[in-house]
């Protein structure tokens, strides 16, 4: 794996994603500086000891953390991130490369490029967990994961993109490039709409409780694991990408009607070929490994 | 745990579910006889050695397997099971208790009670796997699982129900009773509709391939694990229970429209409370443990 091409990394938001970057850096033997900022002073106090174990300088003062960093990685929830961009642009070193890990890329890439210019490179590691926080962060979260970089054509610095590619490869990830728009459309299908469907499905069972709690097996358990995610974070992601998500939901509505007709007509062959298609499609996906 | 209240168990269909019963019996130290039948002689030949390891007498001749058994457990796919009932009634010992493991209970319980009378007790272990076959069968599949028994009011023998309850408890399961109708309605919500939704969702991604295969994380992986199940088996289950499944799908359609409206209106608070409700509902379920 390549070396980490930065000496002074600043992580804004030391939660599951940002924390896993810091831990992964240390796990590769990275000897450079890692600073991290959390706006909540109480969170800083409670994580201080644990951060020190990982040689992370944790602070609640943004300018201190950004000072002379050569990589600034934004890892706060989407709306917080958008709101922080002006401060980032104000305090970032003029030569610092700035990137992020947000699940939606249209809004953040446009706004950050407007403020920071060619040195902002949007990024999204297509991996995660229903868990949150630095304690749940894992040094191996990005190993074998795909990271999508979303440079703006004719705007983002090509060398910055290459350095960021090298950075993620150093953490064990595979990197690909897409436009922010193509990314958001794809992720609506592979992540955002399934999250919404699972949340919505479980919410719809409310009126059947109590009564059903003991009658679910591993199927519903796994189908709805993502429902244990943070609702506030997911409301932000879904609204950021609401156009693509709605298109996907409309396709779901359409296909639901088709499937209902097959059921009503008791069309066994038609139903089975639809189910088989689902299975065939699933087998073409390269999912990240189930971690221990 | 109670002792197994049978001396000669006959299992019809030695797949994942029936095979797990046999392995679980042996794992508890059960010293009684276990015979199993598979109609496919080639399957019998290929599993013979493995069955002997578990002290299972495997055969393709139904009357031989049923002869003087005191428990006959039906564990074939739903349509096969329905088609086998007349032969079961013909060859079963007059004192044998007969039960099954099918995921839908209305049709089988009614038909089997008509043929076998008060000694048929419908059953459904609410547990499973996307895997199939005796090799995937697990001695601990039923440990901590819920098994629903579906006696017919005023028809099923109360003592037979008690013996079957003791049987499943001996394998580590918790047992509850419901009417066949209530069972099927509940399982449409906790299992059948989620399976159909996941299959349908993956089938709907076909037109986006190639392109999305590398862009899915653990969310879609777990949401769609059940899509790796057997399409022929699931077509049967869904059609058996098509009325309750369709009612559930209509509720999904209704809720999808509500959620779409929240997205279109960019109603962050409304969306978040919907997602939070899903999370709260999920936390009330008692799912079986994730096995190693």
């Amino acid at each position: 794996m390549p070396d980490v091409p930065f000496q002074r990394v600043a992580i804004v938001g030391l939660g599951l994603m940002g924390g896993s970057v810091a831990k992964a850096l240390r796990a590769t033997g990275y000897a450079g500086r890692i600073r991290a900022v959390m706006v909540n002073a109480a969170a800083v106090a409670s994580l201080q000891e644990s951060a020190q174990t990982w040689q992370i300088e944790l602070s609640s003062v943004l300018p201190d953390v950004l000072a002379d960093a050569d990589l600034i990685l934004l890892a706060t929830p989407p709306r917080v991130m958008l709101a922080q961009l002006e401060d980032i642009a104000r305090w970032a070193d003029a030569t610092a490369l700035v990137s992020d890990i947000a699940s939606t890329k249209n809004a953040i890439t446009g706004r950050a490029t407007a403020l920071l210019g060619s040195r902002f490179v949007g990024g999204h590691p297509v991996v995660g967990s229903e868990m949150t926080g630095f304690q749940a962060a894992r040094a191996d979260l990005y190993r074998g994961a795909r990271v999508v970089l979303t440079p703006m054509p004719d705007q983002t610095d090509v060398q910055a993109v290459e350095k960021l590619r090298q950075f993620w490869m150093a953490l064990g990830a595979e990197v690909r490039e897409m436009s922010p728009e193509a990314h958001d459309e794809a992720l609506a299908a592979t992540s955002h709409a399934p999250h919404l469907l699972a949340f919505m499905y479980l919410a719809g069972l409310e009126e059947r409780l109590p009564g059903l709690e003991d009658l679910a097996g591993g199927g519903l358990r796994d189908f709805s694991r993502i429902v244990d995610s943070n609702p506030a974070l997911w409301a932000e992601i879904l609204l950021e990408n609401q156009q693509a998500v709605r298109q996907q939901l409309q396709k779901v509505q359409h296909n639901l009607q088709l499937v209902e007709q097959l059921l009503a007509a008791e069309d066994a062959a038609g139903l089975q070929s639809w189910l088989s298609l689902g299975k065939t499609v699933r087998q073409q996906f390269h999912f990240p490994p189930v971690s221990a």
Side-chain angles (χ1 to χ4, degrees), chain A:
Chain A
M1 286 191 283
D3 285 337
V4 176
F6 302 101
Q7 275 73 53
R8 295 171 303 281
V9 174
I11 299 172
V12 180
L14 198 67
L16 176 85
M17 303 298 283
S20 293
V21 167
K23 291 180 182 180
L25 280 168
R26 290 304 180 213
T28 67
Y30 176 68
R33 193 180 77 192
I34 304 177
R35 283 189 179 154
V37 63
M38 298 184 84
V39 285
N40 182 335
V44 169
S46 79
L47 288 179
Q48 201 56 263
E49 196 176 347
S50 170
Q52 276 169 16
T53 314
W54 290 91
Q55 295 171 271
I56 302 166
E57 301 172 24
L58 185 57
S59 160
S60 62
V61 185
L62 187 66
D64 293 357
V65 169
L66 301 189
D68 79 353
D70 53 0
L71 172 66
I72 297 170
L73 189 67
L74 311 179
T76 43
R79 300 222 158 181
V80 176
M81 197 185 286
L82 280 167
Q84 282 174 324
L85 281 176
E86 287 194 11
D87 281 345
I88 302 291
R90 182 176 309 129
W91 299 109
D93 194 282
T95 62
L97 195 162
V98 183
S99 188
D100 78 307
I101 56 83
S103 308
T104 55
K105 300 263 59 85
N106 252 328
I108 189 78
T109 309
R111 180 105 180 92
T113 301
L115 283 163
L116 291 153
S118 63
R119 65 200 172 114
F120 179 83
V121 184
H124 174 214
V126 185
V127 74
S129 168
E130 74 283 10
M131 294 188 287
T132 55
F134 181 69
Q135 305 298 358
R138 292 184 2 227
D140 66 350
L141 186 65
Y142 303 113
R143 193 163 302 277
R146 289 101 201 167
V147 173
V148 180
L149 299 181
T150 56
M152 306 267 282
D154 304 323
Q155 290 190 65
T156 310
D157 178 35
V158 175
Q159 283 187 303
V161 177
E162 281 315 305
K163 279 183 86 171
L164 207 58
R165 175 193 297 275
Q166 201 180 325
F167 174 80
W168 284 109
M169 287 171 69
L171 303 189
E174 294 167 29
V175 178
R176 61 183 280 187
E177 286 177 36
M178 297 175 79
S179 74
E181 295 76 18
H183 169 278
D184 284 6
E185 212 182 290
L187 268 287
T190 59
S191 172
H192 307 163
H195 271 81
L196 186 51
L197 277 180
F199 270 113
M200 184 211 71
Y201 192 79
L202 271 282
L205 295 182
E206 188 207 16
E207 63 196 59
R208 307 281 293 269
L209 296 179
L212 293 183
E213 314 84 294
D214 290 326
L215 294 172
L220 187 66
R221 179 195 65 214
D222 293 352
F223 174 86
S224 68
R225 179 191 54 81
I226 46 184
V227 175
D228 222 20
S229 305
N230 182 337
L233 173 65
W234 274 96
E236 289 187 17
I237 293 171
L238 292 166
L239 285 173
E240 277 289 327
N241 202 18
Q242 59 109 342
Q243 229 171 343
V245 171
R246 281 168 61 208
Q247 273 174 19
Q248 193 62 26
L249 293 187
Q250 279 151 17
K251 203 156 86 182
V252 168
Q253 300 250 27
H254 177 73
N255 288 341
L256 263 174
Q257 278 161 15
L258 292 183
V259 163
E260 250 194 271
Q261 284 162 12
L262 293 174
L263 283 172
E266 308 206 22
D267 180 349
L271 183 60
Q272 189 178 328
S273 71
W274 190 268
L275 303 181
S276 296
L277 176 62
K279 182 166 178 161
T280 305
V281 167
R282 186 177 195 271
Q283 287 167 342
Q284 291 173 65
F285 275 87
H286 311 135
F287 294 116
V290 178
S291 53

